Amino acid sequence: MKLAFVCATVALAAPAAADTYPAKPVRIVVTAPPGATSDMLARVMAEQLGKALKVAFVVENRPGAGGNIAGEHVAKSSPDGYTLLLASVSSHAINPSLYTKMPYDPVKDFAPIIVLASNPNALVVSPASGIKSVADLVKAARAKPGELSFSSGGNGTSQHLAGELFKSMTGVQLMHVPYKGSSEALTAVMRNETTLMFPNIPNALALAKNGNVNLLAVTTRNRLSWLPDVPTLNESGLPGFEAVAWFGLVAPAGTPRSVVDTINAESAKVLARPDVQQQLIGQGFDIMSGSPEAFQAFLKAEIEKWRVVVKQSGATVN
């Protein structure tokens, strides 16, 4: 009898939540500072979701600790749908293996809503290296084990781990040179201080057009529709290679499913609009979307993939 009463209560509560949500402004907490890649995506989604649901969606930046500060804040927030997190590959897939102590569980402490988009990386090399293809790079690295180097914006970043994945899949030895940020790391490649890097696509394209770097491949599984002439690493002798900086909306665990479904449905509509797609693609994003269940399965697969890569790299953060 007691179980029947509880089930009936839940059944009645769900439609009510769907009918009234959202009744006040919604916060989207971002793991990076204003102007960052994820911040740009969050602001596009906040503007469009606000228009669709007729309440303000406000972006709140809480950078630091690779996304752990923002993640902990949202994980401990009320599960009412009014505090969301723009989760990233760092905060929810890489950090669990990279940090010796995590302030949250990326699976148990959150309700996945929708994976929104990814920001692919590219493989670029110094023009002075004379390397023109992925095959050339692998050949050069095998000829000089440990002599070629790759730069990144820091230990544990997606750029760093893309390089570690490349090493693992090719069996080559490369020296990792971490910098304080992506700009410095790219400058090192331009000056031939390091041989290669896996920067975000927009930065890579701008430099490649000016001849400052050679763009060899992208890190997506399939070729980008808006960059059809650039091959993938997947088709360049590394089958299965995929390393992208993805972003998705999550809520605190226990958030009503009706609320999750509302945000998922409206977000999917936003991502399907040609004008929004054009805007995001122009900023270097690859549109994703999907159900909460698809996001959950994707997240678990990403956690396992990067667990292996982090372990092989030996990288840790206390």
Side-chain angles (χ1 to χ4, degrees), residues 171-209:
V172 301
Q173 297 179 37
L174 298 171
M175 180 174 64
H176 175 226
V177 183
Y179 287 81
K180 293 181 179 179
S182 298
S183 296
E184 291 182 21
L186 267 170
T187 299
V189 176
M190 292 164 55
R191 293 176 176 173
N192 201 33
E193 295 170 359
T194 59
T195 308
L196 64 139
M197 184 183 172
F198 289 85
N200 289 341
I201 286 284
N203 294 333
L205 284 178
L207 294 175
K209 288 179 180 178

Side-chain angles (χ1 to χ4, degrees), residues 240-253:
F241 189 103
E242 184 175 28
V244 298
W246 55 260
F247 307 96
L249 290 174
V250 299

Side-chain angles (χ1 to χ4, degrees), residues 45-60:
M45 294 305 298
E47 179 184 1
Q48 299 303 328
L49 287 173
K51 291 178 180 178
L53 293 170
K54 304 188 185 309
V55 298
F57 275 69
V58 181
V59 174
E60 180 179 314

Side-chain angles (χ1 to χ4, degrees), residues 28-33 36-39 41-42 62-72 74 84-99 102 104-107 110 112 114-119 156-158 161 200 244-251 285 288 295 298-300 302-303 306:
I28 300 179
V29 181
V30 180
T31 62
T37 300
S38 56
D39 178 71
L41 174 61
R62 286 180 176 255
N68 285 355
I69 291 176
E72 181 180 17
V74 175
L84 310 177
L85 174 71
L86 186 69
S88 70
V89 63
S90 294
S91 69
H92 275 60
I94 294 174
N95 288 2
S97 297
L98 182 67
Y99 282 77
M102 284 288 289
Y104 56 83
D105 185 302
V107 176
F110 297 91
I114 185 170
V115 59
L116 299 171
S118 65
N119 192 233
T157 60
S158 61
L161 295 182
N200 289 341
V244 298
W246 55 260
F247 307 96
L249 290 174
V250 299
F285 289 103
M288 296 180 75
F295 189 6
F298 172 75
L299 175 59
K300 290 180 178 179
E302 283 285 288
I303 290 173
W306 292 115

